[in-house]
Amino acid sequence: MGFAKRLKKQNSVDDASLLEASASASSEDPSRKAWIDLKSQLRNELVDILDAGDLGEDSRDQAYNKIKSAVIVISAQRDLDINPNDYDRLANELVDEIKGLGPLETLIARDDIADIMVNGHDKVYIEVGGKVELSPIKFSSDEQLLQVCQRIVRLVGRRVDESSPICDARLLDGSRVNVIIPPLAINGPTLTIRKFRKDKLTINDLVKFRSITPDAAHLLQIIGRVRCNVLISGGTGSGKTTLLNCLTAFIDHDERIITCEDAAELQLQQDHVVSLETRPPNIEGGGQITMTDLVKNCLRMRPERIIVGEVRGGEAFDLLQAMNTGHDGSMGTLHANDPRQALSRLESMIIASPAGSALPLRAIREMIASSVDIIVQASRLNDGRRVITAVTEVTGMEEETIVTQDLVKFQSQGRDENNKIVGHHVGVGITTPYFMTRAHQYGLGDQVLEVMTAINSA
């Protein structure tokens, strides 16, 4: 479909909504109403000026140049009262609306924003520095917001409409997106974006951000290097995926790694990586590929390490089976508030799976204890800072209970004069972790003793 036809189709939906949005804006901000009216008029005029072109095939810069030239022509022909200094802004906003994410483009470009939360067209919240605040950015209408949502999900071959009102997707840069629209979202389309950092964070960055101490970071580096099976536990927004990215940096470059994710966002630095992504059902309800399907298929792909973006269901059983059958060094994340709760959640997911439902509870716990070596707990403190609060080792079973021991813990010591939480990472006296035998096999036993001694003396 050519640009003119697409734009006419958009305008048929947008014009009424723009008038409605303009009416509501007039009581709040006359200048915003005038700006919306001007953009609406220019969109209509662009249909005739750019009828021969198809901006869908152009790069953003090419589309910007065409639209800016057209805006200047329209302004002269219609004698519009446009300040020449506004031509750039008009061209950028029109390109964003036609090719990009509309008002969200300015937020996507900001590196200091971690999350974007759109609650209907007139309320856009952002997370900056761990705190949520209301942004001045607004959409002109729910229809414009819905078009942006549909544009996002189409990029990854998915859809969102009344028959499928919930969708998980991702932007081209890897940012994670969730969309839920009416009738499920009562106050209009709701869009949540977990932004993808352009710069890859390393374990040294976590040390710089005071998420972990240098000695504890060295311990995590050894854990990743010696092929311990690791689960990263934490709440929503606690930094689990970031931490998983950091740990994968210590995997040898000659190892074959296969990743399984709902929305591909991991940034592995190795060359020999195969990335797999789940698929939702099609409009007829068929064709779905679940995380369990991906993990099962991994085992036929000769993996050396399996990385699961998030363990949340029946794939837990298959991942533990893989960890226990020669795929040492596999990793995954799951939602839990502490390491002990992470084990309970893992147990519940296995019981709920078809493969694990027939197993006795003791057999499930033995499988967990023999598969998982390390649980790393990530938390977001209530002052917004993300901290690794525990590095916990699974040591085995005692009767019916899985036994664990903390290697590193974060101890809070109150707040400082700026109301920021003060605390530090400490050891609990363990100098010989359970994975010491594995560390000796890699020639890192002396380093483990050295770093544990440093942690315990901190």
Side-chain angles (χ1 to χ4, degrees):
M1 184 186 294
F3 165 72
K5 290 182 180 179
R6 289 202 310 275
L7 198 54
K8 284 176 180 175
K9 183 177 180 181
Q10 282 184 330
N11 283 340
S12 66
V13 177
D14 275 356
D15 285 344
S17 57
L18 283 171
L19 289 174
E20 179 184 351
S22 298
S24 63
S26 62
S27 60
E28 302 173 2
D29 187 353
S31 62
R32 180 170 180 264
K33 174 184 178 299
W35 187 260
I36 291 175
D37 290 341
L38 176 61
K39 281 201 298 181
S40 178
Q41 180 180 355
L42 287 171
R43 282 168 63 91
N44 291 328
E45 296 284 353
L46 283 172
V47 174
D48 299 324
I49 296 292
L50 297 179
D51 188 57
D54 188 351
L55 297 186
E57 304 297 327
D58 290 339
S59 67
R60 195 189 191 286
D61 289 342
Q62 291 171 329
Y64 167 82
N65 290 331
K66 287 182 180 179
I67 288 179
K68 182 178 179 181
S69 299
V71 167
I72 294 173
V73 171
I74 294 169
S75 176
Q77 289 179 343
R78 301 291 187 267
D79 196 22
L80 299 178
D81 185 19
I82 300 177
N83 188 324
N85 295 329
D86 288 336
Y87 288 143
D88 287 339
R89 179 186 171 192
L90 281 167
N92 273 313
E93 291 190 12
L94 287 168
V95 171
D96 289 342
E97 291 183 14
I98 295 167
K99 290 181 65 69
L101 304 183
L104 296 183
E105 289 287 347
T106 57
L107 302 181
I108 293 292
R110 284 179 54 181
D111 292 333
D112 61 328
I113 295 177
D115 291 272
I116 302 171
M117 297 148 281
V118 184
N119 303 349
H121 74 275
D122 58 347
K123 289 183 180 177
V124 179
Y125 291 88
I126 56 177
E127 181 194 315
V128 180
K131 294 295 185 180
V132 175
E133 60 187 54
L134 182 64
S135 165
I137 296 296
K138 294 182 179 181
F139 287 83
S140 61
S141 64
D142 281 346
E143 284 75 13
Q144 185 197 13
L145 172 56
L146 180 58
Q147 288 173 3
V148 169
C149 293
Q150 291 171 335
R151 189 175 300 139
I152 290 172
V153 302
R154 279 198 300 267
L155 290 174
V156 291
R158 303 188 179 184
R159 63 187 179 86
V160 59
D161 50 37
E162 288 189 4
S163 63
S164 180
I166 300 177
C167 183
D168 288 316
R170 56 182 166 81
L171 301 181
L172 293 178
D173 67 353
S175 297
R176 188 190 313 169
V177 178
N178 176 267
V179 177
I180 181 166
I181 66 172
L184 301 188
I186 297 173
N187 297 322
T190 301
L191 173 65
T192 308
I193 300 175
R194 173 68 54 82
K195 280 189 59 183
F196 190 82
R197 292 184 64 98
K198 296 182 178 64
D199 53 328
K200 298 178 182 180
L201 288 181
T202 66
I203 200 74
N204 292 330
D205 292 318
L206 300 187
V207 172
K208 183 175 66 176
F209 299 151
R210 297 185 299 120
S211 296
I212 194 169
T213 62
D215 291 326
H218 189 190
L219 178 64
L220 290 181
Q221 179 178 353
I222 295 172
I223 287 170
R225 174 72 179 82
V226 303
R227 297 179 67 102
C228 289
N229 293 323
V230 179
L231 286 179
I232 297 173
S233 166
T236 301
S238 59
K240 298 186 298 298
T241 303
T242 297
L243 182 54
L244 181 58
N245 270 320
C246 292
L247 286 181
T248 59
F250 307 119
I251 298 176
D252 286 342
H253 283 261
D254 60 353
E255 296 184 46
R256 177 173 169 83
I257 308 166
I258 300 180
T259 68
C260 303
E261 302 174 81
D262 283 320
E265 57 182 332
L266 290 174
Q267 295 176 293
L268 271 66
Q269 302 171 22
Q270 291 76 8
D271 294 327
H272 199 165
V273 177
V274 179
S275 299
L276 306 179
E277 189 176 59
T278 60
R279 185 177 70 186
N282 57 30
I283 195 168
E284 291 84 17
Q288 181 179 20
I289 304 297
T290 66
M291 186 68 76
T292 300
D293 297 328
L294 293 184
V295 175
K296 285 181 177 179
N297 191 72
C298 276
L299 302 178
R300 305 183 184 98
M301 299 174 66
R302 204 263 180 200
E304 289 181 293
R305 300 215 198 195
I306 298 173
I307 312 295
V308 178
E310 183 174 338
V311 182
R312 62 177 67 175
E315 67 274 5
F317 179 84
D318 299 287
L319 178 62
L320 291 186
Q321 289 281 72
M323 288 177 169
N324 219 0
T325 54
H327 303 92
D328 295 339
S330 295
M331 302 179 185
T333 73
L334 79 166
H335 280 81
N337 293 325
D338 58 62
R340 177 56 61 179
Q341 188 185 97
L343 294 174
S344 298
R345 285 219 59 213
L346 201 58
E347 182 181 302
S348 299
M349 287 186 281
I350 293 172
I351 292 173
S353 69
S357 58
L359 293 176
L361 186 58
R362 180 177 178 85
I364 292 174
R365 290 178 176 172
E366 286 178 344
M367 182 170 65
I368 294 173
S370 62
S371 303
V372 179
D373 297 314
I374 299 290
I375 300 172
V376 182
Q377 183 68 35
S379 301
R380 182 167 64 171
L381 307 181
N382 58 18
D383 64 354
R385 184 158 63 100
R386 293 172 173 84
V387 171
I388 296 170
T389 52
V391 179
T392 301
E393 191 173 33
V394 179
T395 61
M397 290 276 294
E398 283 186 6
E399 296 183 353
E400 299 292 324
T401 305
I402 300 174
V403 181
T404 63
Q405 62 182 14
D406 291 329
L407 303 180
V408 181
K409 292 184 68 175
F410 177 79
Q411 287 188 348
S412 176
Q413 299 173 310
R415 294 177 178 268
D416 61 16
E417 62 276 7
N418 298 318
N419 204 32
K420 297 293 185 180
I421 293 177
V422 177
H424 64 285
H425 293 82
V426 297
V428 294
I430 296 171
T431 56
T432 307
Y434 198 72
F435 68 89
M436 178 63 84
T437 301
R438 189 189 296 269
H440 280 305
Q441 293 173 358
Y442 283 79
L444 299 175
D446 292 341
Q447 288 191 33
V448 173
L449 287 174
E450 181 181 339
V451 73
M452 290 306 302
T453 300
I455 289 171
N456 290 317
S457 62

